[in-house]
Amino acid sequence: MRSDSVTKGMQQAPHRSLFNALGMTEEELNRPLIGIVSSYNEIVPGHMNLDKITAAVKQGVAMAGGTPIVFPAIAVCDGIAMGHVGMKYSLVTRDLICDSTECMALAHAFDGLVMIPNCDKNVPGLLMAAARLNIPTVFVSGGPMLAGHVHGKKRSLSSIFEAVGSYSAGTMTEEDVREFENHVCPTCGSCSGMYTANSMNCLTEAIGMGLEGNGTIPAVYSERIKLAKHAGMKVMELLEKNIRPRDIMNEKAFINALTVDMALGCSTNTMLHIPAIAHEAGVELNVDIANEISKRTPNLCHLAPAGPTYMEDLYEAGGVYAVMKELTKKDLLYTDLITATGKTVGENIAHAINRNPEVIRPLENPYSETGGLAILKGNLAPDSGVVKRSAVVPEMMKHEGPARVFDCEEDAIDAIKGGKIVAGDVVIIRYEGPKGGPGMREMLNPTSAIAGMGLGSTVALITDGRFSGASRGASIGHVSPEAAVGGPIALVEEGDIISIDIDNCSLNVKISDEEMAARRAKWQPRQPRVTTGYLARYEKLVTSGNRGAILEMNV
């Protein structure tokens, strides 16, 4: 056991004295030490129930013969951080979470780990840590929020952001907005649509690191507590069988995750996180493969914001395993891969049933024959851009319009809410990428303002930043190379015609190569916006969005 280095032998007497200070018994020290990585805090709605999940996991570990020991992971609520300097601190926490978990796990010689995340950066950050550490590990999230109800219709967080845009357009009163404000987020849990948190928790099942229901059992259901107990017991089985994260998270498992991603219509942020997790697992995953997978993978689900169904509906319909079972009808998944259940993918999903073909479309009747995400390329995005195709209205799948150029999110929002953006425009928000932000802010405020102003079917938004999973419409993010390193998005001028063709995966500015070269010759890098603290260090190390915004020593 790894923990022998701190619990066994005369040289470890000082170590044992410190365990004694914790009140641990000799019997506890003779069992495997299992680290419980809890993201519990009192600021994130998706994490406020993780104390109960943690207690259940501890009970499961103890029942199976292990000694559970809790340590924390940080978390940022993207909704609360949205639209101000706080959003610069969202994506960057993914690497802090990974690094700090590595430090705690190795410093204290844990034999196994149970990861308890729930929201946007905790799930990928802890998956990255699991891949890096390669210690027997299982995941159990806090679960999704139930949908809210406003005027008899199910609603979620994106509804209130769009309500603010409608208020600016004069189509909602303050009282109308207050009704949304008070009812769209009715319970604890990760926000109720197929946003980034729920996308990543569902993909944790698909990749094989979480048990059935990890992504879909609502946070307030007692079944979530039972799942947590089973996760605690399961890590002991993984330890006994020596099944480790890199045994599970291999190249084929990442292909499975991307395939399920396309079927579910997940957040565009998965195109940042999956490559970053793969990198930690020793698998180099080029995002270009997403289009190949999309071509053969039908989109089976339209959860909010793409459609009127929510995570609780996906759960009742059979969950992630039911979606995976549909995909096996055309042999779209590798089913012989080992998972954290101790069984193969095929064994896991053998019992799955699609209980609601309106929520999970059968493979023979999909929403579309292609997947929910698309990678775009062209002279505006030589490396890549990404769009949630399943959340784009048909009339915006192909669009040309004049560029309206802004060098930060705040200026764009002022223009949108000030009525300066009109039908047909293409809003460009640049210098918001991983380096340029720094931190690659999400653009839920401008996308919601566009929708709320009634422009969602006529205006596109392009950025080297990224979008919340709650965004909808022709919102193209992760444009790489980013403006801060001289990418073509830095060279776009007001009024340039932008050409978008999502079906053909192209994104171009209609200027000549000679004009592009002339502009490039005049371009000068901008001084960093932040020069001290963690963001300044992050800016020095981070790579472009097309590489998952991973950190490298020499870039």
Side-chain angles (χ1 to χ4, degrees):
M1 289 290 174
R2 295 172 53 82
S3 59
D4 288 354
S5 62
V6 295
T7 61
K8 301 291 193 298
M10 185 55 64
Q11 289 298 319
Q12 281 64 46
H15 304 74
R16 289 193 298 273
S17 72
L18 293 166
F19 282 112
N20 287 336
L22 293 169
M24 285 198 179
T25 66
E26 184 177 344
E27 290 83 359
E28 287 175 297
L29 294 183
N30 285 331
R31 295 178 174 185
L33 302 186
I34 306 299
I36 313 298
V37 189
S38 174
S39 301
Y40 169 75
N41 63 48
E42 295 182 342
I43 186 63
V44 184
H47 292 219
M48 63 182 285
N49 65 322
L50 296 190
D51 55 341
K52 296 177 177 62
I53 301 296
T54 301
V57 169
K58 289 180 67 177
Q59 189 173 352
V61 169
M63 285 192 296
T67 298
I69 303 173
V70 178
F71 65 88
I74 63 168
V76 165
C77 177
D78 280 16
I80 295 174
M82 193 71 65
H84 59 95
V85 69
M87 183 44 69
K88 293 179 183 289
Y89 288 91
S90 171
L91 178 61
V92 304
T93 64
R94 185 187 71 182
D95 297 273
L96 278 176
I97 291 161
C98 177
D99 292 347
S100 61
T101 301
E102 173 197 355
C103 293
M104 291 293 288
L106 295 183
H108 301 105
F110 288 109
D111 298 303
L113 298 168
V114 180
M115 306 294 200
I116 309 178
N118 208 32
C119 289
D120 297 39
K121 307 312 162 302
N122 296 77
V123 186
L126 290 178
L127 282 166
M128 288 166 66
R132 183 186 296 179
L133 290 163
N134 205 30
I135 299 167
T137 301
V138 66
F139 277 67
V140 56
S141 76
M145 183 184 292
L146 293 178
H149 290 81
V150 180
H151 305 312
K153 293 183 178 180
K154 287 186 176 182
R155 300 290 187 178
S156 61
L157 181 68
S158 55
S159 304
I160 179 61
F161 276 92
E162 292 183 11
V164 173
S166 297
Y167 175 78
S168 297
T171 58
M172 270 195 185
T173 66
E174 185 174 346
E175 290 74 20
D176 293 331
V177 175
R178 187 79 65 183
E179 182 74 10
F180 278 82
E181 177 184 332
N182 289 331
H183 294 100
V184 296
C185 295
T187 71
C188 63
S190 48
C191 296
S192 56
M194 188 54 81
Y195 308 155
T196 305
N198 292 325
S199 295
M200 291 306 305
N201 281 321
C202 286
L203 295 185
T204 300
E205 285 188 61
I207 208 170
M209 289 297 294
L211 307 184
E212 181 179 9
N214 179 69
T216 58
I217 299 171
V220 295
Y221 283 16
S222 296
E223 189 176 351
R224 176 66 56 178
I225 301 297
K226 293 166 66 176
L227 180 72
K229 292 176 183 176
H230 283 293
M233 290 185 274
K234 186 61 66 174
V235 74
M236 299 304 296
E237 179 185 332
L238 297 177
L239 182 60
E240 180 184 355
K241 294 180 177 178
N242 196 29
I243 298 174
R244 298 168 180 256
R246 291 196 183 193
D247 299 324
I248 297 167
M249 290 193 284
N250 56 34
E251 184 174 2
K252 289 180 178 179
F254 288 108
I255 299 301
N256 277 358
L258 285 170
T259 302
V260 175
D261 190 335
M262 295 299 172
L264 285 172
C266 290
S267 164
T268 53
N269 281 314
T270 60
M271 291 297 104
L272 284 175
H273 300 321
I274 292 177
I277 299 161
H279 177 76
E280 292 293 347
V283 176
E284 293 306 316
L285 199 67
N286 190 318
V287 293
D288 291 353
I289 198 173
N291 282 344
E292 298 174 28
I293 294 171
S294 181
K295 285 179 184 178
R296 63 177 183 257
T297 308
N299 178 227
L300 305 181
C301 300
H302 267 194
L303 285 88
T309 53
Y310 293 81
M311 295 305 298
E312 63 205 64
D313 302 310
L314 180 59
Y315 166 69
E316 296 292 344
V320 175
Y321 278 14
V323 175
M324 295 174 74
K325 186 73 171 288
E326 288 289 345
L327 294 172
T328 61
K329 291 179 180 178
K330 285 188 178 179
D331 296 323
L332 293 173
L333 296 177
Y334 295 101
T335 58
D336 59 345
L337 307 180
I338 195 67
T339 71
T341 67
K343 300 177 181 179
T344 66
V345 171
E347 290 171 324
N348 286 344
I349 67 175
H351 69 280
I353 298 171
N354 183 352
R355 296 186 177 89
N356 190 337
E358 296 302 314
V359 176
I360 304 172
R361 289 279 187 92
L363 201 72
E364 55 272 17
N365 181 36
Y367 281 101
S368 66
E369 294 293 341
T370 53
L373 299 179
I375 302 297
L376 310 185
K377 288 193 173 187
N379 70 350
L380 186 53
D383 290 338
S384 69
V386 62
V387 64
K388 187 171 184 174
R389 172 164 39 194
S390 59
V392 179
V393 294
E395 54 266 38
M396 289 298 290
M397 295 295 285
K398 190 171 184 177
H399 179 76
E400 286 192 0
R404 305 299 308 280
V405 182
F406 304 94
D407 287 348
C408 67
E409 177 188 3
E410 288 82 358
D411 290 349
I413 291 172
D414 288 344
I416 295 164
K417 292 186 175 180
K420 297 178 182 178
I421 303 301
V422 299
D425 284 348
V426 178
V427 176
I428 305 283
I429 305 178
R430 61 192 182 189
Y431 294 100
E432 290 286 8
K435 284 184 177 295
M440 204 179 188
R441 288 194 286 181
E442 287 185 342
M443 302 290 161
L444 181 56
N445 273 352
T447 59
S448 298
I450 286 170
M453 297 285 285
L455 297 171
S457 61
T458 58
V459 169
L461 195 156
I462 299 171
T463 181
D464 53 6
R466 60 195 179 93
F467 295 107
S468 165
S471 293
R472 61 188 176 99
S475 303
I476 301 166
H478 310 190
V479 169
S480 303
E482 62 173 295
V485 298
I489 192 171
L491 310 178
V492 176
E493 296 181 359
E494 187 82 8
D496 285 347
I497 300 301
I498 307 297
S499 176
I500 301 165
D501 190 339
I502 294 173
D503 284 334
N504 289 306
C505 301
S506 70
L507 179 63
N508 291 285
V509 53
K510 298 184 79 172
I511 61 174
S512 67
D513 292 345
E514 292 77 14
E515 175 63 18
M516 185 76 83
R519 294 182 186 181
R520 184 175 302 283
K522 297 177 183 177
W523 179 81
Q524 294 292 324
R526 294 184 167 222
Q527 292 298 312
R529 285 171 168 163
V530 180
T531 57
T532 60
Y534 179 60
L535 286 180
R537 297 197 299 275
Y538 182 87
E539 184 271 333
K540 297 294 184 186
L541 301 176
V542 70
T543 61
S544 272
N546 68 302
R547 297 191 57 205
I550 62 172
L551 304 185
E552 287 187 340
M553 292 302 295
N554 297 301
V555 294

